[in-house]
Amino acid sequence: MWLIDYITKQNAGDSANKGEVSSADSQTVSVVSSNLLRSVKQVFPYGVISVPPSGESAVVIPLKGENVAVGTFAEKRDIKPGELLLYSQGGAEIYLCNNGKVYINGVEY
């Protein structure tokens, strides 16, 4: 995990915050932890954007003098190592399986 090591070295003395999302849009999130962190930039894998719903638990870390939100805690799902599940609050899902199968909303493609 070179990225975690790099961030840790760059921000010695600073620590991550866990808090509850109070509001969000496609670029920023506000998180209530020991204090209110407003308009924190969100970090996503390339090509992925999400807006976490209010009430989700989020992680915010310091990075070069500002805070960035690195994600929310995943809910428990039954997937295997190497698989990927994309899901929305409304129930839509795309599940990529190790065996090459793809399920969209439970239908195999």
Side-chain angles (χ1 to χ4, degrees), residues 49-83:
I49 297 175
S50 71
V51 179
S54 294
E56 287 291 315
S57 293
V59 176
V60 177
I61 63 169
L63 181 63
K64 292 193 176 189
E66 64 181 335
N67 290 311
V68 293
V70 294
T72 59
F73 288 88
E75 61 183 59
K76 176 93 170 109
R77 296 288 186 112
D78 188 25
I79 67 171
K80 296 176 181 77
E83 296 184 332

Side-chain angles (χ1 to χ4, degrees), residues 3-108:
L3 183 58
I4 297 298
D5 291 339
Y6 175 80
I7 290 171
T8 301
K9 288 176 187 171
Q10 296 298 313
N11 299 287
D14 294 337
S15 62
N17 289 293
K18 176 185 174 189
E20 187 174 290
V21 173
S22 62
S23 64
D25 60 35
S26 63
Q27 294 181 320
T28 64
V29 63
S30 293
V31 176
V32 178
S33 61
S34 57
N35 54 13
L36 176 60
L37 304 169
R38 293 184 190 271
S39 300
V40 176
K41 292 179 184 174
Q42 295 190 78
V43 178
F44 303 106
Y46 180 79
V48 176
I49 297 175
S50 71
V51 179
S54 294
E56 287 291 315
S57 293
V59 176
V60 177
I61 63 169
L63 181 63
K64 292 193 176 189
E66 64 181 335
N67 290 311
V68 293
V70 294
T72 59
F73 288 88
E75 61 183 59
K76 176 93 170 109
R77 296 288 186 112
D78 188 25
I79 67 171
K80 296 176 181 77
E83 296 184 332
L84 174 71
L85 175 64
L86 296 173
Y87 62 92
S88 71
Q89 186 178 23
E93 293 184 350
I94 300 174
Y95 182 25
L96 307 178
C97 301
N98 287 331
N99 61 9
K101 293 181 180 179
V102 176
Y103 292 89
I104 300 176
N105 294 330
V107 178
E108 183 181 333

